Amino acid sequence: MSEHVLRPEHNEALVEYIRFQRRKRDTCVAEVAAEFKELKESRLFEDSYTREDVEALIDGLLAVVRGTMKRDMQTSMNSSVLLLKQVLEQAEKAGISIVTDYAATEDRALLDAVAAWESSIGAGTVAPQLKARAALGGARASAPLAVIGHATDPQLVAEVQELRSENASLADRFQKLQVQCTSILTEKTELKAQVESMSRGGEEVVMLNEQVLRLQEELAQAREAAASQQTAEAPTSGVEALLEELRVSQQMVAELSSKLDDANSELLAKLEKSKPFLNLRSMLNKKNVIVRDLRELLKANGIEAANDVVATEE
């Protein structure tokens, strides 16, 4: 370990700073000890306590100690920042650039040297020199302090990274499947709308619908005429003529009914055999198969798709 001896005035300033930090440390420890003493004197009156009571006491004490430690550590940190800024301001006034070595503040050998130097400082005695060089300069001479809250096992770190990558991949895959399902369901809805509009549109379909309506009107008129002729009072001399006319009207009604049924059958047959209708039905069936496969894939990965729609073959 390399050494560097400070000038007497600088060494005295360093000693004053370590004494200042020592007082703050002792104050913090005293405050924590006072919290424990207060808990013992003000809360512990019974000979036995339940587990819930003990947990409540410990949690309350933890909250108080945590707040005290955080406040004192924050004050020490702010004081160190102000002290470093004083040094930087003086360096700037002198036209000097200062480079800090944060890695040295975690070097175990240097920390042990500072601890030994601090323990050798007494009240009213000549301040010794901290001869250890604060800056490492090159590579670290010893292992740094372990970082709290982070894994250090290489195998464990690799497993964590692998699980994170797999989780991200599954999340991305799930998002893509959701987008694909939504797109397919939207396309299926559009195809159904096209089928419905096709069943209502088209010149040939319109002509057939008009023919059906016309036949229905003629059938209704024929039935009304037959009913009126049957209920009307006829003279005795024209009974046979009226019966013949009624028979003809009934025959006409039967023929119109047959034509209406044939027209409906022809309309349905032409619609089902039309090429656009068959293409749309084939596309719907293919989309249903894709939706069913995607749903099975989601279930296989343990994912339940929200607002799912059951695919049916049209």
Side-chain angles (χ1 to χ4, degrees):
M1 181 186 300
S2 59
E3 297 182 354
H4 179 83
V5 178
L6 296 174
R7 289 188 296 181
E9 60 271 19
H10 290 168
N11 183 64
E12 186 64 26
L14 190 62
V15 171
E16 288 298 324
Y17 180 71
I18 196 65
R19 287 173 176 170
F20 171 71
Q21 290 292 339
R22 180 191 293 174
R23 289 193 297 270
K24 296 181 71 65
R25 179 193 62 192
D26 294 341
T27 301
C28 180
V29 173
E31 289 179 355
V32 173
E35 296 295 343
F36 277 86
K37 183 178 180 181
E38 181 181 359
L39 174 66
K40 183 173 62 175
E41 294 178 352
S42 61
R43 301 290 299 276
L44 300 180
F45 300 111
E46 304 294 336
D47 294 333
S48 61
Y49 290 88
T50 63
R51 179 176 179 178
E52 290 77 10
D53 294 336
V54 174
E55 289 179 352
L57 292 173
I58 294 176
D59 291 340
L61 181 60
L62 174 62
V64 175
V65 172
R66 180 181 294 164
T68 302
M69 293 295 295
K70 183 177 181 180
R71 183 186 67 251
D72 293 339
M73 293 294 292
Q74 185 71 31
T75 303
S76 297
M77 181 184 70
N78 296 339
S79 300
S80 300
V81 170
L82 291 175
L83 184 63
L84 180 59
K85 190 172 187 298
Q86 292 177 11
V87 175
L88 295 175
E89 289 175 354
Q90 295 178 21
E92 288 181 356
K93 289 181 180 180
I96 302 173
S97 297
I98 295 179
V99 179
T100 56
D101 185 3
Y102 294 105
T105 61
E106 295 184 349
D107 187 87
R108 290 186 181 276
L110 292 178
L111 292 174
D112 293 340
V114 173
W117 172 72
E118 188 267 337
S119 62
S120 65
I121 298 176
T125 60
V126 179
Q129 281 277 355
L130 177 60
K131 297 182 179 181
R133 184 181 294 275
L136 292 176
R140 293 190 180 185
S142 59
L145 294 175
V147 181
I148 300 176
H150 292 270
T152 57
D153 187 3
Q155 184 177 0
L156 181 59
V157 173
E159 291 179 358
V160 171
Q161 293 295 334
E162 184 178 357
L163 289 175
R164 287 179 178 175
S165 300
E166 185 177 356
N167 187 23
S169 177
L170 289 175
D172 183 62
R173 187 177 181 184
F174 175 67
Q175 293 293 335
K176 291 181 179 179
L177 288 175
Q178 279 189 327
V179 173
Q180 190 174 1
C181 287
T182 304
S183 176
I184 290 175
L185 292 175
T186 303
E187 187 175 354
K188 179 181 177 181
T189 304
E190 293 176 354
L191 290 175
K192 284 185 177 180
Q194 292 179 8
V195 171
E196 293 177 357
S197 62
M198 178 183 172
S199 64
R200 293 191 300 266
E203 296 181 358
E204 186 176 2
V205 175
V206 171
M207 292 176 61
L208 290 174
N209 285 332
E210 292 178 354
Q211 184 178 358
V212 170
L213 292 176
R214 186 172 62 255
L215 291 174
Q216 288 178 346
E217 292 177 357
E218 293 178 0
L219 177 60
Q221 292 175 1
R223 287 178 176 174
E224 290 178 359
S228 61
Q229 290 177 2
Q230 186 175 5
T231 56
E233 293 182 358
T236 56
S237 59
V239 172
E240 294 181 358
L242 290 174
L243 290 176
E244 180 65 21
E245 188 176 355
L246 178 60
R247 185 183 62 80
V248 173
S249 298
Q250 290 177 346
Q251 185 177 0
M252 185 182 300
V253 169
E255 291 177 357
L256 290 175
S257 298
S258 178
K259 289 181 180 180
L260 179 61
D261 294 337
D262 293 340
N264 286 328
S265 300
E266 183 180 0
L267 174 62
L268 182 60
K270 287 184 177 181
L271 179 62
E272 291 181 350
K273 292 180 180 180
S274 62
K275 188 174 181 180
F277 181 82
L278 294 176
N279 291 336
L280 288 175
R281 173 176 288 181
S282 177
M283 292 174 65
L284 283 175
N285 291 334
K286 291 180 181 179
K287 295 301 180 182
N288 284 334
V289 173
I290 295 175
V291 171
R292 186 162 48 249
D293 293 340
L294 289 174
R295 185 182 294 108
E296 292 177 356
L297 181 60
L298 289 173
K299 290 182 179 180
N301 287 276
I303 301 172
E304 292 294 338
N307 300 325
D308 194 10
V309 179
V310 179
T312 57
E313 294 187 1
E314 298 294 335

